């Protein structure tokens, strides 16, 4: 049967007569059937990537690409007056992550399968994911994200495991999603859930009874943990996930007849940040139940596990009160205490190295570092900071465990799927080898002086901007000019990422325009990102941006030159629409704070030029493209770390010293903005900038404005700019997650 015949037979009608929703079901079914026919990756050693988040994005288009069916399906639908794009729009995006860490996990699964390495993901099947973001009265509101409504690739299995929570037995059920490699075999993402979850207990946005574990356990990712019940719920979730994982692993190994004493010959476990850390004591516990003494079990687990750190922000390093753990997982307590005692004996009670601190809190990262064979950071700078600052006491005792694995992204999604025109151009110029070996992209440098190719690049960018403008018109009813510069700042809202600094630049530009200093070309500033529901300052920044959007876009004197859009509910789907349309990629975190960033890589790959600090992977981008093809500004990570160590940054100094900073900051609470927004929120934000500014916005504001001015001027030199685009694309091969995964495998997992 041809693909077209298959489609018709599933539809029971002609393609031209089918609705998009019917076509979606039929396409999904075809993917399922094809996937069933391709083999699971085989091997004697397998990695389990355990993560609280898997931000997989929509599956249909990506699976069609990896199965080699996308172009044919696209053509069949077109020939029948339909569009694959509209069919893909029917799918709901699995909302199983919050940001970089979750998207990284999804990219890694794609690369592991593509490289034909045996490796499964393990996570949770959150019914409402993180949350869905809505803007009402220029503020973020949170509502449940009903991603499970409708058909998807996640299927229920009949596999369950008993999990002890607070002395009661619950049964975790495994759901599976095929992870189909590009022209390769498949692996599985296992998502665990409880059968008894009751979605009807959610009310008033995302509120629910936090004590009713049977009904609430997997409703949301990162439920509010501002009180005791919320923290307990996090522990319940984490243990539920890792106990299911550990049982699955041990069960499979026993079934295969493997000697559990040699578990490290068959299994590697990658711990994605500290959320899955309890897998260490849980695996030890299960091995002890198989008759292995604790010391031996701990040694075995130590050789199996590897830990990835994604942050140096203190508030993100999890520390759980021992008595909370005692309440939820009393059976793990003797093991955790035993591990702590072993560290006490080995390191003469050095408090820096203890798992349990003087206040009886369990430091999950410290447990990870003592009981993992590998400890890695996610970009070169980040790993150096871990070794020399944040985790120095551990680097001193375990130097050989520390290693860097600079993050990567899958080009199958973030170029082939999101930017088909650029994909075609690259194929035409250098062939298709880059799809499996991204270093081939460097061959594009041959066209550095090829006017024709440069013009095509520019045309593709323009068309992507038109497409985004149409999308924003449809979704937000805002008119954008595709001839303006698209300056894009999309990522989770956090003070360290400094969206507030870009907002201050918007104010600066607005005041300039009002004073008659007009830019050579209109500028469109595009924001997008969710704030954690309890994170007040991040919500204040969203509020400021939405108020600026209202003020500026409706000011006829200014809106010809400047527009602001904040995209609602930024997710993977929207990322794929925004990124190909970007000219200037904003990566302006306070140096030392962004572990890596991966958005920066996606923009670069799509021909945007980075405006950023020397932070995270930006440093590696600069080393690859050279200073002519990136705009780097601001204090260095060493300077910033010095300022923190000596407590010598006072934002008020910067506020009072510079008139222009003063004016921009004061504009936040101007009559005009207060007439649009909530004066209390705007005041709180302004006060914070003047009196606290923990992430040093005012420190870098002037150098940021200067660098951005240079970038905007350079944009006018079109001949130059097109070459910058080309160099960025050509040098992005290093950031393929295929490269990252090869490094994980060579240095840590050694899969066979
Ligand atoms: C911890 C404790 C209590 C509550 C929440 C958390 C928590 C939740 C989520 C801590 C961290 C996260 C997510 C972190 C994250 O996404 N980090 C990003 O990881 C990317 C992949 O490595 C990096 O590129 C980014 O730089 C990093 O910010």
């Amino acid at each position: 049967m041809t693909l077209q015949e298959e489609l018709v037979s599933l539809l029971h009608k002609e393609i031209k007569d089918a609705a998009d929703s019917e076509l979606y079901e039929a396409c999904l079914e075809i993917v399922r059937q094809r996937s069933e026919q391709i083999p699971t990756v085989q091997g004697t050693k397998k990695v389990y990537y355990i993560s609280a988040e898997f931000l997989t994005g929509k599956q249909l288009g990506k699976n069609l690409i990896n199965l080699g069916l996308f172009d044919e399906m696209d053509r069949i639908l077109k020939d029948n007056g339909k569009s694959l794009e509209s069919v893909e729009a029917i799918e709901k995006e699995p909302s199983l992550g919050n940001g970089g860490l979750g998207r990284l996990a999804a990219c890694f699964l794609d690369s592991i399968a593509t490289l034909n390495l045996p490796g499964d993901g393990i996570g949770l099947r959150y019914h409402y994911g993180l949350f869905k973001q809505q803007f009402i009265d220029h503020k973020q509101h949170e509502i449940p994200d009903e991603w499970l409504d409708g058909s998807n690739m996640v299927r229920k299995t009949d596999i369950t495991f008993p999990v002890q929570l607070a002395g009661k037995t619950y049964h975790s059920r495994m759901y599976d999603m095929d992870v189909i490699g590009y022209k390769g075999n498949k692996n599985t993402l296992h998502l665990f859930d409880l059968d008894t979850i009751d979605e009807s207990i959610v009310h008033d946005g995302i509120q629910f009874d936090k004590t009713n574990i049977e009904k609430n356990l997997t409703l949301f990712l990162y439920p509010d943990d501002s009180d005791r019940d919320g923290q307990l719920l996090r522990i319940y979730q984490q243990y539920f996930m890792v106990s299911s994982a550990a049982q699955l692993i041990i069960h499979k190994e026993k079934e295969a007849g493997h000697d559990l004493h040699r578990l490290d010959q068959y299994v590697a476990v990658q711990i994605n940040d500290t959320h899955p850390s309890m897998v260490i004591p849980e695996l030890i516990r299960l091995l002890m139940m198989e008759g292995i003494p604790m010391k031996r079990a701990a040694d075995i687990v130590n050789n199996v596990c590897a830990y990835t750190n994604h942050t140096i922000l203190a508030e993100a390093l999890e520390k759980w009160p021992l008595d909370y753990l005692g309440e939820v997982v009393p059976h793990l307590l003797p093991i955790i205490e035993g591990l702590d005692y072993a560290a006490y004996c080995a390191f003469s009670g050095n408090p820096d190295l203890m798992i349990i601190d003087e206040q009886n809190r369990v430091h999950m990262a410290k447990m990870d570092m003592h009981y993992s064979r590998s400890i890695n950071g996610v970009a070169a700078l980040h790993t150096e900071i871990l070794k020399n600052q944040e985790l120095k006491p551990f680097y001193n005792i375990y130097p050989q465990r520390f290693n860097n694995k600079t993050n990567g992204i899958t080009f199958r999604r973030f170029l082939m799927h999101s930017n088909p025109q650029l994909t075609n151009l690259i194929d035409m110029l250098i062939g298709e080898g880059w799809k499996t070996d991204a270093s081939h992209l460097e061959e594009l440098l041959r066209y550095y002086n090829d006017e024709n190719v440069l013009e095509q690049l520019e045309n593709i960018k323009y068309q992507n901007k038109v497409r985004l403008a149409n999308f924003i018109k449809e979704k937000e009813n805002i008119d954008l000019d595709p001839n303006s510069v698209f300056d894009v700042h999309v990522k989770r809202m956090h003070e360290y990422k400094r969206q507030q600094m870009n907002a201050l630049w918007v104010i600066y530009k607005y005041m300039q325009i009002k004073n008659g200093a007009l830019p050579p070309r209109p500028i469109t500033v595009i924001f997008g990102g969710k704030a954690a529901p309890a994170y007040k300052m991040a919500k204040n920044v969203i509020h400021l941006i939405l108020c600026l959007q209202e003020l500026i876009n409706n000011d006829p004197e200014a809106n010809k030159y400047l527009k602001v859009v904040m995209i609602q509910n930024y997710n993977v789907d929207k990322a794929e629409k925004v990124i190909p349309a970007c000219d200037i990629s904003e990566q302006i975190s306070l140096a030392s704070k962004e572990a890596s960033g991966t958005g920066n890589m996606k923009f670069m790959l799509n021909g945007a030029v980075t405006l950023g600090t020397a932070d995270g992977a930006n440093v590696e981008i600069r080393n690859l493209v050279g200073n002519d093809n990136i705009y780097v500004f601001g204090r260095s990570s060493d300077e910033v770390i010095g300022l923190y160590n000596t407590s010598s940054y006072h934002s008020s100094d910067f506020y009072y010293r510079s008139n222009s900073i003063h004016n921009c900051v004061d504009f936040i609470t101007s009559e005009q903005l207060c007439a649009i927004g909530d004066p209390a929120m705007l005041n709180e934000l302004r006060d914070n900038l003047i009196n606290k500014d923990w992430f040093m916005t005012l420190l870098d504001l002037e150098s940021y404005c200067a660098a951005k001015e240079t970038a905007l001027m350079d944009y006018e030199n079109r001949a130059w700019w097109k070459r910058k685009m080309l160099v960025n694309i050509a040098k992005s091969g290093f950031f393929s997650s295929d490269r990252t995964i090869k490094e994980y495998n060579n240095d840590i997992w050694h899969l066979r």
Side-chain angles (χ1 to χ4, degrees), residues 304-359:
V304 166
C305 290
Y307 160 65
T308 304
N309 176 288
H310 296 264
T311 185
I312 64 159
L313 296 183
E315 67 265 29
L317 288 176
E318 294 183 298
K319 302 177 246 329
W320 296 118
L322 195 61
D323 51 326
Y324 287 15
L325 292 176
E327 192 171 326
V328 179
V329 282
H331 48 291
L332 281 193
L333 232 52
I335 295 171
I336 294 173
E337 284 168 339
L339 300 181
D340 180 60
Y341 182 69
Y344 180 89
C345 296
F347 304 104
S348 353
N350 178 351
D352 285 344
L353 301 171
M354 293 302 97
I355 296 172
I356 304 174
D357 70 13
E358 287 96 344
Q359 298 162 64

Side-chain angles (χ1 to χ4, degrees), residues 7 162 195 226 246 279 307 318 370 378 405 439 442 459 479 548 589 635 676:
L7 205 51
D195 288 347
S226 56
V279 74
Y307 160 65
E318 294 183 298
H370 280 302
V378 290
K405 293 287 165 283
S439 67
E442 268 200 65
N459 280 338
D479 290 294
L548 287 168
S589 54
R635 301 302 157 98
I676 295 170

Side-chain angles (χ1 to χ4, degrees), residues 53 98-102 104 222 225 234 272-275 308-311 315-318 320 378 407 492 496-497 593-599:
E53 303 183 27
N98 106 107
L101 166 150
L104 185 76
Y222 304 134
D225 66 349
R234 289 269 184 103
N272 199 25
D273 220 288
T274 55
H275 319 125
T308 304
N309 176 288
H310 296 264
T311 185
E315 67 265 29
L317 288 176
E318 294 183 298
W320 296 118
V378 290
N407 282 166
R492 279 307 296 264
Y496 85 79
K497 296 179 186 280
K593 295 296 180 189
E594 189 70 273
S596 161
T598 45

